[in-house]
Amino acid sequence: MRRFRAGRTIAAAAVALAAVLGAGGWAADTQTPLTGPPPGTAAWTADTSLGLRLPDPATAAPAQVASFFAELPQDQQDALAARHPLVVGNLDGAPVALRYRANALALAAERTRELARATDPSLTPQDHEAARTRAERYRTLLDGDRQILAFDPRGRGQVAEVYGDLATARRTAVIVPGSDIDLLRFDRTADPYGTPAGMARALRAEEQQQAADTQTAVIAWAGYTTPVGLGVDAATEDLARAGATRLTRLLDGLAVSTRPEAPPTVFCHSYGSVVCGLAHPSPARASGLVVLGSPGMGVDSAADLDHGVPLWATARNGSDWIGDVPNVRLLGLGHGADPTAPGFGARPLPATGSHGHTGYFAPGTASLAAYAAVALGRS
């Protein structure tokens, strides 16, 4: 009888999970994560113009990259960025200001390429429209003094942007987004607080209100391949594992290329909390983890994470659909225990005033005020 009840419970959980995902619009296609070194790596590693062996992006740790650039005069750094912008712009451990310049060059080159594709007679009208859309996206990322820390045009595209000055910031934060975020959806006017750029801007503005005398910086990081829709990818951890590797490398790079008072606080939204859980950063990489709208973290409890990195879980507001997702891990589906459950072991944060799955960073909410306090080290 006990075995029967257990089997029935497991079957019910699986059916419930499938039903919830189906209700959200099952995505039949799956995503292939971007892994490995940035585009242009072959030309970079073959470059002997400086009479030096350049660090291999596939194998060199960010600390090794930082040491390499520390020995180079500025003119040689600039020359490498001009010759290999996609490599330097994505090379964790390279000087931050150099990465900004390299990514500006890469964005300009990709925009020129897309504008040419937009009028290429050998392509279809759909190809022309897609090229115009990408070209416009690149133009907006080149506007003003935007600080693009990473840019990869492959696939759906990836990007990271810095708000504030990483060179002078005393407190820093990283936003890790969930599903449906990529180069084109990194920033948008509709539902702005559901994008990493909108979350980052809101967090930094709140920090400045709470501590005008404290220099802060926030990184909006769309640096991994996210699921599209609510399908197999969203219910499994394959993309999260690949994302966790990239997140760890980002945090390692920040540790050697910036000098805040403490490592960044990492904010993990929705599927991004699975990425953060699987990355389980050490105290050298993160001052704390904050999860919001979380379907689970891929772990059974906070005890499975590094005890030196505090974990906060945001109370789920009543209109967040993520509350309908069963907290199970079964046959490779689901992300485990609810981080907001009392027994999980996370420190609670309020969500008063927030609405829906993407409203936790909205100005005026108790959640945003709490996030700023945590990021400022005042919790």
Side-chain angles (χ1 to χ4, degrees):
M1 180 63 71
R2 185 180 304 168
R3 184 180 302 170
F4 172 75
R5 287 200 190 105
R8 187 171 60 181
T9 300
I10 291 173
V15 171
L17 181 64
V20 169
L21 293 176
W26 190 272
D29 62 322
T30 57
Q31 303 297 304
T32 300
L34 286 180
T35 58
T41 291
W44 164 271
T45 55
D47 189 337
T48 59
S49 60
L50 299 183
L52 301 169
R53 178 186 290 274
L54 305 185
D56 186 346
T59 58
Q64 294 173 299
V65 172
S67 295
F68 170 81
F69 278 100
E71 298 297 323
L72 285 186
Q74 189 61 56
D75 62 328
Q76 291 185 352
Q77 292 186 26
D78 290 338
L80 286 176
R83 285 200 297 275
H84 310 283
L86 281 170
V87 172
V88 175
N90 291 288
L91 203 54
D92 291 304
V96 169
L98 186 68
R99 291 180 66 175
Y100 294 161
R101 293 195 292 275
N103 284 317
L105 293 172
L107 281 162
E110 286 299 311
R111 180 170 183 266
T112 298
R113 190 178 74 86
E114 293 296 344
L115 288 174
R117 283 174 50 83
T119 57
D120 185 340
S122 68
L123 299 179
T124 67
Q126 292 79 11
D127 292 332
H128 293 162
E129 179 61 27
R132 286 191 292 269
T133 298
R134 283 235 168 180
E136 177 60 16
R137 169 83 290 193
Y138 299 151
R139 184 195 65 76
T140 62
L141 291 173
L142 286 165
D143 275 353
D145 298 320
R146 297 185 74 163
Q147 302 174 133
I148 305 304
L149 185 66
F151 164 65
D152 191 332
R154 294 177 297 175
R156 289 160 50 209
Q158 298 179 0
V159 64
E161 183 173 12
V162 176
Y163 296 86
D165 187 349
L166 279 175
T168 61
R170 293 168 56 195
R171 307 292 304 192
T172 59
V174 175
I175 307 292
V176 180
S179 298
D180 299 311
I181 297 297
D182 52 31
L183 181 71
L184 296 180
R185 298 169 182 84
F186 170 76
D187 192 4
R188 58 178 181 254
T189 55
D191 187 27
Y193 307 115
T195 70
M199 294 178 191
R201 285 193 295 262
L203 177 60
R204 186 158 187 269
E206 181 67 23
E207 290 174 337
Q208 291 175 314
Q209 285 190 9
Q210 291 190 20
D213 59 340
T214 300
Q215 293 293 322
T216 64
V218 182
I219 300 171
W221 183 73
Y224 78 103
T225 304
T226 66
V228 173
L230 295 174
V232 174
D233 283 340
T236 59
E237 295 176 353
D238 291 348
L239 295 182
R241 289 191 191 93
T245 299
R246 296 173 78 87
L247 176 60
T248 297
R249 192 169 180 86
L250 168 78
L251 297 176
D252 284 344
L254 294 175
V256 296
S257 60
T258 65
R259 293 292 182 269
E261 290 179 346
T265 303
V266 184
F267 292 83
C268 319
H269 178 240
S270 194
Y271 189 83
S273 61
V274 189
V275 175
C276 292
L278 297 181
H280 50 80
S282 67
R285 294 182 175 122
S287 292
L289 295 178
V290 179
V291 297
L292 51 142
S294 174
M297 300 185 68
V299 297
D300 293 327
S301 73
D304 294 327
L305 304 174
D306 195 304
H307 294 184
V309 180
L311 172 66
W312 286 267
T314 311
R316 189 175 297 114
N317 69 59
S319 55
D320 186 346
W321 58 261
I322 204 74
D324 295 327
V325 175
N327 292 110
V328 298
R329 295 181 85 190
L330 174 69
L331 302 177
L333 294 175
H335 305 302
D338 180 359
T340 68
F344 191 85
R347 307 178 187 189
L349 290 178
T352 307
S354 66
H355 300 283
H357 188 55
T358 57
Y360 296 99
F361 277 87
T365 58
S367 46
L368 178 60
Y371 298 159
V374 170
L376 291 167
R378 294 182 170 185
S379 57

